Amino acid sequence: MRDITDGRGVDAVMDSIGKSTFEGSLDCLRPVGMMISYGNASGKVPPFDLGILGAKGCLQLTRPTIFMHIAEREKCQSMASHLFDMVESGKIKIHIGQDFAFENVAQAHREMEARTTTGSSVLTL
């Protein structure tokens, strides 16, 4: 990632893989960058020395969970409204990589499990 940012690094990394990508994700960050670790597809991240965050440039690391964000209904509704406003305005673009007729739901599952899909997958009636 550093080669496409002229060595600067990226502002933020969202890592859903975990164990196998954790260090590489940290290495992509610019100084004071933020890593959001939200999944363990390759396994849990093993314990590590927090000093690494300082040594790599005062990095920030968070592990969000959906339950903390939806615990308060009013706050959840506010965040949802903000998200939908951003989508409607075009500031956030949702990539729909493929859609499947509902009767082809088994095929949709096979393709997602085989990791041949990209972006969002949509089932239509």
Side-chain angles (χ1 to χ4, degrees), residues 98-116:
Q98 52 283 313
D99 56 66
F100 299 92
F102 188 74
E103 59 267 16
N104 296 326
V105 68
Q107 178 64 30
H109 278 275
R110 283 191 294 274
E111 290 189 27
M112 287 186 279
E113 289 169 12
R115 297 183 177 170
T116 60

Side-chain angles (χ1 to χ4, degrees), residues 35-73:
M35 180 169 161
I36 302 141
S37 174
Y38 67 98
N40 296 325
S42 68
K44 289 184 177 182
V45 174
F48 74 102
D49 177 4
L50 284 174
I52 290 170
L53 299 176
K56 290 183 180 282
C58 195
L59 302 181
Q60 303 170 68
L61 174 64
T62 187
R63 178 67 181 201
T65 63
I66 187 70
F67 303 108
M68 295 306 298
H69 292 282
I70 64 171
E72 297 177 35
R73 178 171 169 66

Side-chain angles (χ1 to χ4, degrees), residues 2 8 10-15 22-23 25-38 48-64:
R2 295 235 177 229
R8 180 179 171 271
V10 297
D11 296 330
V13 171
M14 296 182 75
D15 188 327
F22 185 79
E23 288 192 35
S25 291
L26 288 177
D27 289 340
C28 291
L29 291 167
R30 66 164 173 79
V32 195
M34 167 71 78
M35 180 169 161
I36 302 141
S37 174
Y38 67 98
F48 74 102
D49 177 4
L50 284 174
I52 290 170
L53 299 176
K56 290 183 180 282
C58 195
L59 302 181
Q60 303 170 68
L61 174 64
T62 187
R63 178 67 181 201

